[in-house]
Amino acid sequence: MMSSQLEFCLYKLFEMVGVVAISGIFIVSVFLGKELKNTLIYSFGKIFLSLVILKFLYVLNLEKDVINKVERVQALVFLNITLKFLMIYALIFSVLCQEKLKKFLEKTAILINIGITMIVFFVFEKIRNSKYLVFLTSQITATNVYIFCETVVAIGILILLYLSFTNFYFKQTKSFRIFVLTFAAGEVFLAILKRRGILYTEAIQNGALLYLFIAIFLAVAMQRFRFLHSLSKFSTEVLKERLDVQKSFELLVEFVYEAYSKIFPRMCFYYWHEDDNYRLVVFKDEDKQNSNISSDLQIKASQELLQLNRINTFTIEDFGRLFDCETLETVNSEIFKIAVFVPVLMYNKLVGFLICYSKLKDFNLTDEIKDGLTIFMNFSQALLFQIDRIEKIKNLSTEDELTGIYNRRYFMKELILESISADRYKSKFCIAFFDMDNLKLLNDFYGHSVGDKAIRMIGRIIRDNIRKTDIPARLGGDEFAVIFKNCSKEVIEDRISTIKHLIEKESEQQLPKKIKVSCGIAVYPDDTTSLDELLKIADLRMYEEKLKNKEGDFDGKTK
């Protein structure tokens, strides 16, 4: 048999554990509740200020001589029952009311806690100073009032047990389910063992509170860890400048799916492809067998959908009408009842959207879910701007600002790579130098704006009349060059002749004077295997042609 002194010490120890647990839950819910984005924890924790005070009051008055005297223990019994009642019914209302209770507590939580504390303290003092046996007539015999109070607590526990298996949002928070089951087990011990079960009951129920505190704290820690892990992935990609739409949204949607997969078992992200068509970029589903849905799936958005610029909730039937496309039925399964539409805008244009599917008929878009999806929406827009910025920086480093074709730096890099490829595969390639005749005279007679217009026109004509695999570049001033890959001199002569003819024709129509270009061609490796020599040969041949093109001047007298 356990000595009464040891039993009392253990009892008080368990109650102190309860004080720590309740205080911890209150601190986490107040300071980190919004970060955790859990309405249940946020609302439930709001009542814990009064619980902390009452539990502390309980421990302060917990003395051995008080417990052993029936008259003096009445007040402590009242506090114990009140604490259990407040915890259980606060959790019930948090589950059932969700957003309504959250908004109500945001405004009135302090007043409610002060009111509860004052009323309970007043009744506690009345009972402590009274000689009436309100709850116990002896150490083992209870009054009808005590039986009624315990019955109310038991009914509350039964309601919580039912909700833990039927309420969707309650089922998503496993820590609360375990807490309720453990707390109920403590009440069962008390009902069966009565006075002998008090120590076990307090150990179990205060242990349940400690578990709930640890579970909530770990949930916050794990959420931060997942967030930092996802952020590190993004940071790595940004530092490597390897961001693209596919890779970026795979990471981002995966992050959102991990957070909300129990509410949205399927998520699809579509990105703009052409016209009003959107291509499926990322597909997430709880059923791995559905992961083979084609990434080439495209849907056409209606004008009504294109006007949406905020998060919206639709039934599956209404949502399907927003698309001029039957292929959406392959994604809109009959098991889903609700679709949440999350738009991603760029320059006020719908460039992509996330569709979150839910199986719940009575789905409610709570503030915590909406906040999470809003973060996704804002982060996506910032991400697209970052991708666009990186792409522009890349273009500035490789493109000529005036003409939009490649610059000298990129041309030289491609020339080296092409020579390596030609050596490896025993193939040929040609480089052609183009030079506009008498740019200086055009600038002097008509101004630099006309000269720039002529340079842009030449760059455009060259770019539009070569193969996509060829590399056009502006080397500087009025000098242009093209790498014609995997071909001989005879193959490109007709193409160069066409380019010259188009330049003469369009310049006559668009410029004050008709202009001509001179061209020189060198072949690798027929002419030389030295790149420096290859460039010199092409430049020399271009200069020889330029000397023959004196008629390209504006006025023969000026030559």
Side-chain angles (χ1 to χ4, degrees), residues 530-545:
S530 167
L531 295 183
D532 288 338
E533 288 297 323
L534 192 72
L535 294 172
K536 289 178 181 178
I537 292 170
D539 189 51
L540 180 61
R541 289 173 180 172
M542 181 269 296
Y543 183 71
E544 289 173 352
E545 184 173 308

Side-chain angles (χ1 to χ4, degrees), residues 427-488:
S427 59
K428 297 181 180 181
F429 70 88
C430 302
I431 62 168
F433 275 16
F434 295 87
D435 188 89
M436 179 178 146
D437 297 333
N438 294 319
L439 173 63
K440 184 177 185 305
L441 292 176
L442 190 66
N443 285 332
D444 291 343
F445 274 96
Y446 300 103
H448 285 275
S449 61
V450 176
D452 289 347
K453 184 177 180 181
I455 290 171
R456 282 195 296 269
M457 183 193 71
I458 294 172
R460 175 179 54 78
I461 292 173
I462 292 174
R463 181 193 62 209
D464 294 346
N465 289 277
I466 59 176
R467 298 169 302 178
K468 289 185 177 180
T469 55
D470 298 331
I471 307 295
R474 181 185 176 212
L475 303 183
D478 58 350
E479 294 180 358
F480 296 83
V482 179
I483 301 174
F484 291 96
K485 297 185 177 184
N486 196 28
C487 65
S488 62

Side-chain angles (χ1 to χ4, degrees), residues 155-365:
I155 291 171
I157 291 174
L158 290 174
I159 293 171
L160 280 178
L161 287 171
Y162 172 76
L163 290 174
S164 67
F165 290 98
T166 58
N167 184 272
F168 177 78
Y169 295 102
F170 203 170
K171 287 194 293 184
Q172 305 312 306
T173 314
K174 290 183 179 179
S175 56
F176 277 95
R177 293 179 67 186
I178 295 173
F179 166 73
V180 170
L181 290 170
T182 308
F183 204 89
E187 287 298 306
V188 171
F189 268 96
L190 184 62
I192 295 173
L193 300 177
K194 300 187 184 301
R195 173 68 177 81
R196 291 179 292 114
I198 290 177
L199 184 62
Y200 299 106
T201 298
E202 292 303 316
I204 292 170
Q205 292 184 341
N206 285 298
L209 283 169
L210 183 63
Y211 160 77
L212 185 61
F213 163 60
I214 294 172
I216 293 172
F217 181 80
L218 288 178
V220 175
M222 287 303 297
Q223 186 179 41
R224 282 197 169 188
F225 173 78
R226 285 194 297 267
F227 174 77
L228 291 173
H229 179 66
S230 297
L231 190 62
S232 68
K233 283 186 178 181
F234 282 112
S235 300
T236 301
E237 297 302 321
V238 170
L239 290 173
K240 292 179 179 178
E241 292 193 353
R242 287 167 49 193
L243 279 175
D244 59 41
V245 171
Q246 181 75 40
K247 188 179 298 181
S248 300
F249 281 101
E250 281 178 0
L251 292 171
L252 192 53
V253 174
E254 181 182 355
F255 179 57
V256 177
Y257 188 73
E258 283 181 3
Y260 298 108
S261 59
K262 293 178 181 178
I263 302 171
F264 301 118
R266 176 175 292 180
M267 287 186 182
C268 303
F269 183 78
Y270 294 84
Y271 191 72
W272 182 86
H273 182 60
E274 58 184 12
D275 297 329
D276 293 332
N277 290 312
Y278 293 81
R279 183 173 66 86
L280 181 62
V281 175
V282 184
F283 179 83
K284 294 287 183 182
D285 192 275
E286 63 179 356
D287 187 353
K288 301 300 181 183
Q289 294 180 351
N290 293 327
S291 60
N292 59 355
I293 289 183
S294 174
S295 59
D296 295 329
L297 176 67
Q298 292 187 25
I299 56 178
K300 187 175 181 63
S302 65
Q303 288 300 315
E304 182 181 353
L305 187 78
L306 295 174
Q307 301 304 315
L308 298 177
N309 57 8
R310 58 185 179 85
I311 298 172
N312 285 270
T313 303
F314 301 93
T315 63
I316 288 294
E317 295 77 14
D318 291 341
F319 188 67
R321 298 188 190 102
L322 295 174
F323 297 90
D324 302 328
C325 179
E326 294 181 359
T327 55
L328 189 64
E329 294 177 3
T330 60
V331 180
N332 288 356
S333 173
E334 292 181 358
I335 62 173
F336 298 114
K337 308 301 179 185
I338 297 293
V340 179
F341 175 80
V342 185
V344 177
L345 305 176
M346 191 173 182
Y347 303 115
N348 296 321
K349 179 185 176 182
L350 183 68
V351 294
F353 50 85
L354 179 70
I355 305 174
C356 306
Y357 293 92
S358 175
K359 297 178 182 179
L360 297 174
K361 277 187 177 180
D362 56 346
F363 172 80
N364 178 33
L365 186 63

